[in-house]
Amino acid sequence: MYDLYYSETCPYCRKVINYFEENNIKFNPKEINNPSYYDELLKIGGKAQVPFVVDIKSGVSMYESDDIIDYLKKNNKV
C-alpha cells in the first residue's frame, strides 16, 4: 500500500493518480490542502513538494512523478 501526498491542482500529481487508477494499484490519497496531511508531508519528506509517495511496506519514499511511476512499474509487475 502507498500513501500519496498530492494537490488537486497539480498536473504531475494527476499523472501519478492516473497511473495508480489505470493499473488498479491501491493507495491512500492525502490531499495537502488538509493541514494534517500537509504537516505529515513536511515531517516525512522535509519539503512542501508534491507528488510525494511513501511505500508503506518498504519504507521507500520519493518525489517526482516520473520517478514514482518508474518505482510503481518495477514494484507492482505492471
Side-chain angles (χ1 to χ4, degrees):
M1 180 64 82
Y2 302 92
D3 285 339
L4 175 65
Y5 296 86
Y6 74 100
S7 170
E8 285 289 335
T9 59
C10 169
Y12 300 104
C13 295
R14 175 49 46 200
K15 179 179 177 180
V16 172
I17 290 169
N18 286 345
Y19 187 85
F20 272 113
E21 291 174 348
E22 289 167 1
N23 292 283
N24 297 314
I25 300 170
K26 293 183 180 184
F27 69 103
N28 299 315
K30 296 190 172 195
E31 216 287 334
I32 63 166
N33 282 337
N34 177 322
S36 64
Y37 291 151
Y38 181 81
D39 291 344
E40 279 180 29
L41 171 63
L42 291 179
K43 183 178 178 183
I44 297 167
K47 55 186 173 178
Q49 177 182 328
V50 288
F52 180 73
V53 74
V54 177
D55 181 340
I56 298 168
K57 185 176 179 181
S58 71
V60 170
S61 61
M62 67 187 68
Y63 294 98
E64 302 297 333
S65 59
D66 289 338
D67 293 342
I68 292 168
I69 290 170
D70 286 345
Y71 180 83
L72 294 172
K73 285 179 182 177
K74 290 176 186 170
N75 290 282
N76 290 283
K77 311 271 190 284
V78 175

